Amino acid sequence: TQDTPALGLHIAITAGPTREPLDPVRYLSNHSSGKMGFALAAAAAELGARVSLISGPVSLPTPDGVERIDVETALQMHEASRRLAGDCDIFIGCAAVADYRAEAPAEHKIKKVESEDALTLRLVKNPDIIADIANERDAAGGRPFVVGFAAETRDLEAYARDKLTRKRLDMIVANDVSSAGLGFGADDNAALLLWRDGEGEGGESLPPQPKTQLARAVIERALGCLSVRPVH
Ligand code: C5P
């Protein structure tokens, strides 16, 4: 119907930060609030979709009608995402996934060594969740439609286009996080939408607006792309 264009579709969304343990009491993480991902989940549910929200540790209430899967680490988010990706029509990676994790989290609390002024932590790369899902999608042919996010402080379009191509995404939502009051933790956001070659040449610029409104626009654009490509 007109009010619920996403009826019958399953949309999976990653949101928030990941938390990578160093020892039983410490971790590496980032300042992602989860607001954009949760707004996307709410918008998708309002538009009629079945929504799975894979969330890192955030302090936000679960939007109405959304199934929430809580995870902490990038590896857990990766596993939950892969499990859902095969069953969804649209996969949106909005999480700020930690690029690295401790190679071997200490079993016991790391003690301060009085005689040493430095401590070396060895980090290893986390999997790129969205790139993995887009790759598997390409191998299987067809679903899901994969939407990524790019937060940049300069050369927004160039970096976003590079991510779109390198990660084999269908669409990317690029945010300039250097502007005051927008992006990380804020309630408002502006975005540049870009599509993989052929679709929506040149992109579309969405002006600063509440994340709830921007989320709806992003879901509507993704739905628009689904309706013109074969879904099986
Ligand atoms: O490379 P960068 O982290 O800037 O790319 C951002 C996009 O990639 C986002 O959609 C983010 O959710 C996704 N991503 C991911 N797994 C990672 C790193 C980023 O899914 N390990």
Side-chain angles (χ1 to χ4, degrees):
T1 69
Q2 260 184 346
D3 288 351
T4 52
L7 205 65
L9 296 179
H10 181 195
I11 303 183
I13 301 164
T14 67
T18 65
R19 188 179 273 182
E20 313 297 331
L22 300 177
D23 69 15
V25 296
R26 305 183 179 96
Y27 57 81
L28 286 174
S29 192
N30 60 66
H31 288 298
S32 170
S33 65
K35 279 180 189 166
M36 191 63 215
F38 275 58
L40 287 163
E46 277 164 22
L47 292 168
R50 173 157 86 83
V51 182
S52 301
L53 177 59
I54 305 155
S55 179
V58 298
S59 48
L60 292 172
T62 309
D64 279 348
V66 167
E67 183 210 10
R68 174 167 172 179
I69 299 112
D70 283 313
V71 297
E72 292 223 336
T73 67
L75 291 180
Q76 290 166 358
M77 185 173 278
H78 189 221
E79 192 189 311
S81 298
R82 291 189 61 164
R83 191 161 47 73
L84 283 161
D87 178 65
C88 68
D89 302 285
I90 301 176
F91 180 89
I92 307 179
C94 192
V97 183
D99 290 324
Y100 295 90
R101 66 178 182 276
E103 182 177 47
E107 194 183 334
H108 296 288
K109 187 179 170 190
I110 299 168
K111 302 304 286 181
K112 179 164 59 186
V113 181
E114 292 301 340
S115 59
E116 298 285 350
D117 284 337
L119 168 72
T120 304
L121 284 171
R122 191 170 159 80
L123 306 179
V124 293
K125 256 207 191 104
N126 271 326
D128 192 312
I129 299 170
I130 203 165
D132 238 43
I133 282 165
N135 259 300
E136 284 188 12
R137 177 270 326 270
D138 284 0
R143 271 187 339 165
F145 184 84
V146 177
V147 183
F149 274 71
E152 306 292 345
T153 56
R154 63 191 171 100
D155 297 327
L156 182 65
E157 179 161 356
Y159 281 124
R161 277 202 193 282
D162 173 66
K163 272 172 206 176
L164 182 69
T165 311
R166 192 161 36 81
K167 300 186 189 222
R168 306 168 84 159
L169 310 177
D170 295 301
M171 172 178 160
I172 195 159
V173 182
N175 305 120
D176 179 350
V177 288
S178 66
S179 359
L182 300 179
F184 260 29
D187 290 320
D188 284 17
N189 218 348
L192 173 67
L193 307 186
L194 300 169
W195 285 266
R196 104 193 285 179
D197 292 347
E199 292 174 58
E201 217 68 69
E204 179 182 356
S205 184
L206 300 174
Q209 55 195 293
K211 283 181 179 175
T212 49
Q213 211 174 306
L214 192 77
R216 197 179 170 97
V218 168
I219 300 289
E220 282 173 348
R221 295 310 180 279
L223 291 174
C225 294
L226 267 196
S227 62
V228 297
R229 58 164 53 212
V231 178
H232 62 259

